[in-house]
Each structure stands twice: as C-alpha cells, then as structure tokens.
Amino acid sequence: MIPFSILDLAPVTEGSTPAESFARSLDLARHGEALGYARYWLAEHHNMPGIASAATAVLIGHIAGGTSTIRVGSGGVMLPNHAPLQVAEQFGTLASLYPGRIDLGLGRAPGTDQPTTKALRRYYAGADAFPSDVMELLRYFEPAQPGQPVQAVPGAGLDVPVWILGSSLFGAGLAATLGLPYAFASHFAPAAMSEALALYHRDFRPSKHLRQPHAMLALNVVAADTRAEAQRLFTTQQQSFVRLRRGAPGLIPPPIDDIEAFWTPAEKAMVAQSLACSVIGDPADVREGIAEFVARHRPDELMLTANIFDHGARKHSFALAAEAMRG
C-alpha cells in the first residue's frame, strides 16, 4: 500500500459561506487523519466564488492547528503570485508552529484569470522566473550564513519539504533537475501524465533533498454505497467544470439526476478528457479502479480529491476510498 492523501479546495457550496467551508475542511481533515490519510493539501485559487482557499498559508495553519498527526500543506502555492521571501517566511512560521508536519507544494500557474493576476502582483509578466524563484525560495530554507543580507525569519535552517507541482513537462523537468519530489495534476489535466512521469524519472538528479525520484499522482475518487449514487454525486464536479469553461464559475452546485440535459456533446467530451483520471462507483468499483490506476502508473503516492456537494457524503466517500486503498 502506498501513502494516500487528500486534496481540498475548501469548496463553497450553494447555500453556504466560506466560514462554513472552513469548518467542513477541518472536520474532513480530522476524519482523514483518523482514516490514515498521510497528507491534507489545500490549493491556491483566486476570484472563484466556489473555492475559499485563496489565503492558502492561513488555512493550512487552521487545519494544522486542529489536527495532530496528518501532514498539512499546499497543493499548491502559486509562486508567481508571491515573493519567494514571503512564502519562506509563511511556511517557516507554519513549520515552527507545527514541526515535521508542513509541506510546501509550488505551482507555476497563477491559479486565476488575467485581471486577478495583475491585482495580485502588479508587476507580474509571466511565469518565466519560476525556476529562479524556486531556487531563491530553497535558499531561504538553508541555514543562515554570517553576513547574509536577507534571511527568512523564521524559515532559515528549517525542514520544509518542497514539492514541484505540474500538469506539463515543464514542472517534471524542473523537479528532476533540482532533485525534488514531483506531484502531477492528473485529476484535471491528465494529457501529459505518462510523458511527464517518464521525463521526471529519466532526468532525475539526486540532491540533498531527495536521493531518488518520488512522484505523486492526483485522482478523482467519488465513492458511495451504490454505483448509481456515486455517479450522481460526481455530477457536481462535472457541472463545475462546464461552468468554468463557460466563463461562469460559481458556488459548488448540488448533484443532478440528468447530466445529459445539462451539457452539450462538446462539453461532455471536454469533461471526459479533463476528468479521465477518475474512479467513480461503489466500494468494489473503487477498490478495483484505484488498484488498476496504481498498477498502471506506479506512483509513489496518491492524492485523492472529491468535489462532493453534501459534506456527509464527501466524508463517506473518503472513508470508502481509504478502505479501498487498504485492499
């Protein structure tokens, strides 16, 4: 059995508030901790009414403070939106408060639209500086040297594992070059997954951070007591994807009985391609689907995500998924 974890976007469902979303996220993290999940990661998004994890480091502190053993981190912090020093200080603070439990996953995309990108970091001109920003950030976690003009306080000398996230070959190549662990966003952009994994393993250079390649894949898993109920629950995620592509992202919608009446054939094909790495069904379906995915792609870890409207159904899905992971 490989380690398995939870990716959470702190969804804001129709009829609820961000405050309620944060309470549900903490409840889910405690649930995941009890079920044996290894990590609980939160992802940075902006200007999206249905996702409340914009202030990712703040929310990580909330989750870490309410749990005791599960690792908590970012999946990820979108580094082009931030100065590397600020990220080092934030995660140095988190690592000081919760030693041995904080992960820092870094992404190259802004995680939002163009106007919001400009509002976040007004001098942002693209993600070309991402590799140098990552290296600068890594240096801030090194022990401070005499006469060093700028240091992260706290941050310097702390053990904060840094992951490179990606959905293309770029992140795979950078993670390999720097000798860092790599997490691929196969839960929404699976097209380059196999090629990216092959490149990462082929070009990996051992470093002081990591002796051999370590890759994590993300997988949508929606489990319920029956296959029909799981498929119905999955319509929440399908609707959300279509609304995003229509340019009308909103609060997370409840499931619907007839998804075919909601989308066009082109939208259906787009969703099927984007969410190809999904396991939907009853306990037997989920056990078989996860085992097949792991056997085919051989990740070192698995990150599970489930955009389910009802909180109780979401917790139940993660419980069934944990049972499936354990065989």
Side-chain angles (χ1 to χ4, degrees):
M1 183 182 68
I2 61 173
F4 53 98
S5 300
I6 295 174
L7 175 63
D8 181 21
L9 304 185
V12 185
T13 55
E14 291 182 7
S16 72
T17 65
E20 291 169 315
S21 170
F22 299 147
R24 290 192 295 264
S25 288
L26 180 55
D27 186 53
L28 180 61
R30 289 169 172 164
H31 183 61
E33 184 173 73
L35 290 168
Y37 283 87
R39 309 176 193 273
Y40 194 94
W41 282 10
L42 295 137
E44 177 184 349
H45 292 76
H46 299 276
N47 198 32
M48 297 186 70
I51 298 177
S53 50
T56 316
V58 177
L59 192 51
I60 288 170
H62 172 63
I63 300 299
T67 52
S68 57
T69 58
I70 195 167
R71 295 189 67 92
V72 189
S74 60
V77 160
M78 302 297 110
L79 193 52
N81 297 338
H82 310 278
L85 175 61
Q86 291 175 315
V87 176
E89 291 169 338
Q90 290 168 1
F91 280 78
T93 298
L94 288 167
S96 297
L97 289 167
Y98 312 105
R101 294 183 55 211
I102 300 300
D103 298 324
L104 173 54
L106 299 173
R108 183 170 67 115
T112 187
D113 53 49
Q114 204 62 36
T116 310
T117 299
K118 184 178 179 182
L120 283 164
R121 198 175 184 189
R122 295 177 185 276
Y123 55 88
Y124 173 80
D128 295 341
F130 182 68
S132 60
D133 282 351
V134 171
M135 289 186 283
E136 179 184 347
L137 178 52
L138 290 171
R139 287 194 295 271
Y140 287 129
F141 290 130
E142 297 289 334
Q145 301 301 310
Q148 182 175 324
V150 179
Q151 58 181 280
V153 183
L158 294 182
D159 178 22
V160 181
V162 173
W163 292 67
I164 299 296
L165 313 184
S167 58
S168 68
L169 303 186
F170 184 93
L174 181 62
T177 298
L178 298 179
L180 295 174
Y182 179 56
F184 189 85
S186 36
H187 62 303
F188 74 88
M193 174 177 59
S194 296
E195 193 177 356
L197 282 179
L199 184 152
Y200 174 64
H201 283 92
R202 185 192 72 213
D203 294 351
F204 182 85
R205 301 176 188 173
S207 70
K208 58 188 171 186
H209 307 288
L210 201 60
R211 287 179 169 269
Q212 57 190 19
H214 190 92
M216 176 158 50
L217 295 179
L219 182 67
N220 298 290
V221 176
V222 177
D225 294 331
T226 67
R227 184 179 299 171
E229 177 60 13
Q231 290 170 342
R232 183 177 182 274
L233 293 175
F234 190 48
T235 63
T236 288
Q237 175 75 334
Q238 292 168 321
Q239 291 177 81
S240 295
F241 255 74
V242 170
R243 289 179 175 184
L244 181 62
R245 297 302 170 92
R246 288 175 180 175
L251 300 180
I252 303 303
I256 54 178
D257 293 325
D258 185 8
I259 188 66
E260 299 301 332
F262 176 78
W263 54 22
T264 66
E267 289 169 338
K268 179 179 180 179
M270 176 274 296
V271 172
Q273 183 179 39
S274 298
L275 302 181
C277 291
S278 298
V279 175
I280 315 298
D282 61 23
D285 294 327
V286 170
R287 189 179 306 110
E288 180 181 342
I290 291 177
E292 185 178 298
F293 183 84
V294 171
R296 184 186 306 126
H297 302 292
R298 309 200 65 80
D300 298 293
E301 297 191 34
L302 206 56
M303 178 69 70
L304 308 184
T305 187
N307 192 358
I308 296 174
F309 181 82
D310 179 77
H311 183 57
R314 192 173 186 222
K315 289 176 66 177
H316 186 51
S317 177
F318 277 111
L320 293 177
E323 289 177 20
M325 287 297 303
R326 287 190 286 267

